[in-house]
């Protein structure tokens, strides 16, 4: 079991994007090896930490198959925040118009 602090550090690492892309490349390179897949041992040998190995594989697989991943999509929470901010600007604008007019 990987320590939660290591997972949290991997999730918030400033080089997260580069590390996920490197993991995807490492997985691709080992897919045709004798094991037929990339193992945790391959990832450790490539220099990935336990936190990264526990956190990044799904994102790296998404990169490999071209599916949306956090690297290419805007999180739902951010979309909701942007929609609420737009609504707030609209309300503020109507309030200002009512005060002027």
């Amino acid at each position: 079991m990987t320590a939660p602090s290591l997972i949290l550090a991997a999730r918030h690492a400033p080089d997260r994007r580069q590390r996920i892309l490197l993991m995807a490349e490492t997985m691709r390179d080992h897919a045709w090896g004798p094991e037929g897949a990339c193992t945790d041992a391959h990832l450790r040998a490539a220099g990935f930490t336990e936190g990264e190995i526990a956190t990044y594989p799904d994102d790296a697989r998404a990169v490999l198959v071209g599916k949306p991943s956090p690297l290419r999509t805007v999180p739902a929470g951010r979309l909701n925040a942007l929609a609420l901010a737009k609504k707030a600007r609209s309300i503020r604008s109507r309030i200002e118009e009512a005060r002027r007019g």
Side-chain angles (χ1 to χ4, degrees):
M1 177 99 188
T2 305
S5 60
L6 295 177
I7 293 172
L8 186 65
R11 284 187 183 145
H12 296 289
D15 63 344
R16 179 174 181 251
R17 179 176 173 26
Q18 292 82 11
R19 298 295 286 166
I20 290 170
L21 293 173
L22 179 60
M23 183 177 282
E25 183 179 320
T26 303
M27 289 176 160
R28 186 187 61 235
D29 291 346
H30 286 285
W32 301 105
E35 291 90 357
C38 185
T39 65
D40 288 358
H42 293 128
L43 296 174
R44 274 188 222 92
F48 290 98
T49 66
E50 290 300 317
E52 291 172 329
I53 293 169
T55 306
Y56 300 158
D58 291 338
D59 294 334
R61 286 186 204 100
V63 167
L64 288 172
V65 298
K67 288 187 178 178
S69 77
L71 298 177
R72 291 184 291 211
T73 59
V74 178
R78 183 167 295 160
L79 291 176
N80 289 339
L82 292 171
L84 289 172
K86 184 177 180 179
K87 192 172 197 175
R89 283 192 298 272
S90 172
I91 291 169
R92 249 185 256 125
S93 175
R94 284 185 289 191
I95 290 170
E96 290 299 319
E97 285 178 22
R99 285 183 184 165
R100 282 183 252 157

